[in-house]
Amino acid sequence: MQLIKTTNAVGHVLCQDITQIIKGVTKDAVFRKGHMVKTEDIPVLLSVGKENLYVWEKEEGMLHENEAAEILYDLCKGKNMRPSEIKEGKIELIATCDGVLKIDKEKMNRVNALGEMMIASRHGNFPVKAGDLLAGTRVIPLVIEESKMNRAKEVCGEGSIFQIRQYVHKKVGIVITGSEVFNGRIEDTFTPVIKEKLSKFDVEIIGHLISNDNHEMITQSIMTLLEQGADMIICTGGMSVDPDDRTPLAIKNTGAKMITYGAPVLPGAMFLLAYYKGNIPIVGLPGCVMYAKRTIFDLMLPRIMTDERLRIGDFTALGQGGLCLNCDHCTYPNCGFGKGV
């Protein structure tokens, strides 16, 4: 620390809070420890009786916490997010659109492992809305070596730590399977559930067909909807291992590439995802989606709606956190369901 005249303090960093007392009005810090003094601050400091100030001595190769925080924010920020006001070495990231938050966990871990700086975020692969808080960043000490911030840049490399994938418009076709529904023996109670789930996204339902358990009829129903312009197909029912459950075979026979049939999630273990011609998702939903409040469909639908190309690893990673506890009072997504390490 060094003691300097207030009139010479521009560009220096305060070593203590500066308190302003106005009787009956306020008693609070007008400037906090760590504040970098600006030209316009000098009259304020003099008005509270500060003719002299204790400041940190400037040292080559050292950065003030706010300068370092700007660097840390630049490593984190992606499109569709903005910074909060910088304060005491802290900057928060705020979403500017609706979508799904994506996080490069390896980069974030490498930065946090450096010490003297930190990034804390909400879970990735979950929906966010414009205005939502995404992450908080902070430089821990008041001043930090510039070389350490350069090291943070090195371990991050190209690309940002956070991204928001925006939702895209989808033309959806729905295929309800089951001879009991096809023949009118029971009411179709699956379609209303699907429509309610889809209503949260930019979706146009262009067709809705009901098929019996004949796999050729199911395949034909899917192909009919694709020919009508569907860029997403949702098939319900017929996903188990009973002899009459032929939906997986029907989807395979369209020529779609199977990504997964089965996932380590309950409810939803018999979930199926395939891609027709490489980019049109065909989803097979097990019966639990019809009656369980939250299932694997809730976890994967937002990601599908951003046109993220899902792979088998995206499903195998769901095991830890993949058990819904079926709480009496559901707080999803503010719970552990779908949130692995």
Side-chain angles (χ1 to χ4, degrees):
M1 292 188 298
Q2 62 174 325
L3 182 65
I4 64 172
K5 288 189 172 295
T6 298
T7 52
N8 297 328
V10 173
H12 289 271
V13 178
L14 297 177
C15 289
Q16 82 259 24
D17 292 349
I18 304 297
T19 302
Q20 181 183 54
I21 302 175
I22 302 176
K23 185 178 179 180
V25 178
T26 183
K27 180 184 178 182
D28 197 7
V30 66
F31 298 110
R32 297 287 183 186
K33 183 178 78 170
H35 175 74
M36 184 180 289
V37 179
K38 303 179 181 65
T39 301
E40 59 267 29
D41 298 336
I42 301 302
V44 179
L45 290 164
L46 293 174
S47 73
V48 296
K50 295 299 179 182
E51 298 285 341
N52 301 284
L53 297 169
Y54 279 107
V55 297
W56 291 103
E57 292 189 65
K58 288 186 176 181
E59 185 178 343
E60 190 71 26
M62 300 296 290
L63 295 175
H64 176 254
E65 60 180 352
N66 287 353
E67 296 174 300
E70 293 280 5
I71 295 173
L72 190 55
Y73 169 73
D74 286 340
L75 299 178
C76 291
K77 70 175 181 181
K79 291 182 179 180
N80 306 312
M81 55 191 72
R82 64 173 175 83
S84 67
E85 180 182 356
I86 186 170
K87 182 179 180 181
E88 298 175 340
K90 295 183 289 187
I91 302 181
E92 295 176 331
L93 285 78
I94 313 296
T96 59
C97 72
D98 295 355
V100 173
L101 178 64
K102 302 294 293 184
I103 304 174
D104 190 323
K105 293 182 182 179
E106 291 186 6
K107 285 185 180 181
M108 187 164 73
N109 290 343
R110 288 198 293 264
V111 171
N112 282 333
L114 293 174
E116 296 192 306
M117 64 189 81
M118 55 75 65
I119 305 166
S121 76
R122 63 170 62 208
H123 280 88
N125 292 327
F126 273 78
V128 296
K129 293 184 177 296
D132 281 354
L133 174 64
L134 305 175
T137 70
R138 178 162 189 166
V139 176
I140 306 299
L142 186 59
V143 291
I144 189 171
E145 295 94 337
E146 187 175 7
S147 61
K148 178 157 278 191
M149 299 312 301
N150 288 336
R151 178 60 180 151
K153 295 178 186 179
E154 291 173 10
V155 301
C156 276
E158 296 296 324
S160 60
I161 293 175
F162 299 100
Q163 295 288 339
I164 296 177
R165 292 185 63 96
Q166 290 182 272
Y167 301 124
V168 299
H169 178 75
K170 288 285 187 187
K171 296 179 180 179
V172 177
I174 299 174
V175 178
I176 303 295
T177 68
S179 296
E180 66 279 20
V181 180
F182 181 77
N183 292 313
R185 297 188 184 101
I186 66 170
E187 180 184 357
D188 170 21
T189 55
F190 218 140
T191 299
V193 173
I194 301 307
K195 288 183 175 179
E196 191 277 329
K197 301 281 187 186
L198 293 176
S199 67
K200 299 177 176 62
F201 305 95
D202 183 13
V203 164
E204 174 188 356
I205 298 176
I206 66 165
H208 170 237
L209 300 176
I210 299 176
S211 172
N212 63 22
D213 291 313
N214 180 286
H215 69 86
E216 293 178 346
M217 186 176 184
I218 300 170
T219 298
Q220 184 56 53
S221 297
I222 295 170
M223 297 307 297
T224 297
L225 292 168
L226 290 170
E227 290 164 5
Q228 291 175 359
D231 50 27
M232 178 177 177
I233 302 290
I234 297 177
C235 301
T236 70
M239 295 299 302
S240 188
V241 294
D242 293 338
D244 290 337
D245 289 333
R246 312 306 298 278
T247 302
L249 175 61
I251 293 173
K252 180 180 178 181
N253 287 345
T254 65
K257 180 181 178 182
M258 196 77 68
I259 302 302
T260 187
Y261 175 33
V265 176
L266 291 172
M270 306 304 288
F271 180 87
L272 182 152
L273 176 67
Y275 285 98
Y276 180 75
K277 292 188 175 179
N279 65 343
I280 298 178
I282 300 179
V283 177
L285 297 182
C288 62
V289 176
M290 180 171 55
Y291 59 81
K293 188 169 182 62
R294 298 298 177 185
T295 70
I296 188 173
F297 192 43
D298 297 284
L299 302 180
M300 307 315 292
L301 180 60
R303 299 173 68 178
I304 292 171
M305 286 298 173
T306 69
D307 267 349
E308 179 181 356
R309 182 62 161 80
L310 296 169
R311 305 181 187 281
I312 185 61
D314 294 305
F315 292 92
T316 57
L318 293 173
Q320 183 170 333
L323 177 65
C324 176
L325 299 180
N326 193 29
C327 303
D328 291 338
H329 175 63
C330 179
T331 60
Y332 179 87
N334 299 318
C335 67
F337 184 49
K339 297 183 175 76
V341 175

